[in-house]
Amino acid sequence: MTYANSSDNLSTDKHYPYSNSYAIRGTLMSEAGHTWRQAFKGLPEEARHVRTWTAARVPHEDAPLVADELFAAVLGTRPDIVEMTISTAGSRARITASGLTPLPILQVHGPGAIVIRGLSHSHGITTDCCGLWAQLAGQESRT
């Protein structure tokens, strides 16, 4: 559990710091999470390893398929390496696939994006435009 810095945690009407005691404030948010990162060769046959790696870390039934679609979209740029990242927090899991070059529009909005959109809670493109991410919600993640 973390607390905000007291200087960043001010009562808006009285301009004094809130107590760091969650019992007084009633705002306990204890979402533990993990992050895993793995680099895979930029080859189509690595998709099986991506699905297996994802299934071992995220119990959501759609996670391996979403990871596969993200991986396949980044493969469209013909990268040497595709970096996969899984981050969990509470019942949420975010899966990201990134390469080294910006993704063409077909990889961002192509047929795989329809699958990702249908199976994920939210999705998007990474800030450097070299990867895609999808967030799954609803089932407890393994910690």
Side-chain angles (χ1 to χ4, degrees), residues 2-131:
T2 60
Y3 294 101
N5 296 332
S6 60
S7 61
D8 296 337
N9 197 13
L10 296 175
S11 167
T12 55
D13 60 340
K14 296 183 177 89
H15 301 291
Y16 59 32
Y18 280 119
S19 167
N20 275 345
S21 169
Y22 71 88
I24 294 170
R25 291 177 48 212
T27 59
L28 174 65
M29 291 188 61
S30 60
E31 287 189 316
H34 294 289
T35 297
W36 297 273
R37 190 168 283 123
Q38 177 76 35
F40 293 91
K41 294 177 185 174
L43 301 171
E45 46 277 2
E46 287 290 297
R48 180 176 57 85
H49 299 294
V50 169
R51 290 189 302 273
T52 303
W53 179 77
T54 302
R57 285 154 184 83
V58 182
H60 195 288
E61 63 185 18
D62 296 329
L65 180 56
V66 169
D68 184 70
E69 291 297 334
L70 294 169
F71 181 79
V74 174
L75 276 183
T77 63
R78 302 188 191 278
D80 292 331
I81 298 290
V82 176
E83 184 175 88
M84 298 295 297
T85 305
I86 297 173
S87 297
T88 63
S91 64
R92 296 182 314 269
R94 181 173 286 197
I95 305 169
T96 306
S98 294
L100 295 175
T101 58
L103 297 172
I105 195 76
L106 182 59
Q107 271 66 32
V108 175
H109 298 289
I114 296 168
V115 173
I116 293 166
R117 187 178 317 116
L119 296 176
S120 64
H121 180 262
S122 58
H123 61 282
I125 189 165
T126 59
T127 56
D128 62 0
C129 298
C130 294

